[in-house]
Amino acid sequence: SPFTAGFNLKDGDQYLLCSDGLTDMVSLDEMEKVLRNGKDVCHRADELMSLALSGGGVDNITIILCELRKKRWGAKLT
């Protein structure tokens, strides 16, 4: 059966879905540094991809990075 989970969404939350092509090449500390760098979401995803490729890129690399922004979409976030 499918796995589901609920989250309390907040403005500025980031969600990273990725393959082991990223996590095998880039440490959690490096990923956190990129995710906290304040640049736009597309730049952060590109930077993660670059780190994985420069780390060897020995596997397929899949990155989906979402950032919630209340002001842009008018969503009801806490």
Side-chain angles (χ1 to χ4, degrees):
S1 67
F3 172 78
T4 60
F7 299 95
N8 292 322
L9 305 177
K10 295 181 289 196
D11 188 41
D13 281 355
Q14 296 181 71
Y15 295 90
L16 173 63
L17 301 167
C18 62
S19 65
D20 60 352
L22 177 65
T23 58
D24 287 349
M25 299 290 109
V26 182
S27 72
L28 289 176
D29 288 340
E30 289 175 299
M31 284 190 269
E32 182 179 3
K33 184 178 176 183
V34 170
L35 295 173
R36 292 183 183 271
N37 74 15
K39 297 179 181 174
D40 69 70
V41 70
C42 291
H43 184 88
R44 291 189 304 261
D46 287 345
E47 194 169 339
L48 290 170
M49 179 68 73
S50 293
L51 286 171
L53 290 171
S54 67
V58 296
D59 197 357
N60 294 331
I61 305 163
T62 303
I63 298 170
I64 300 171
L65 179 59
C66 303
E67 180 178 43
L68 303 178
R69 286 288 171 209
K70 182 166 128 181
K71 292 178 184 175
R72 280 197 171 160
W73 304 105
K76 296 184 185 229
L77 305 174
T78 58

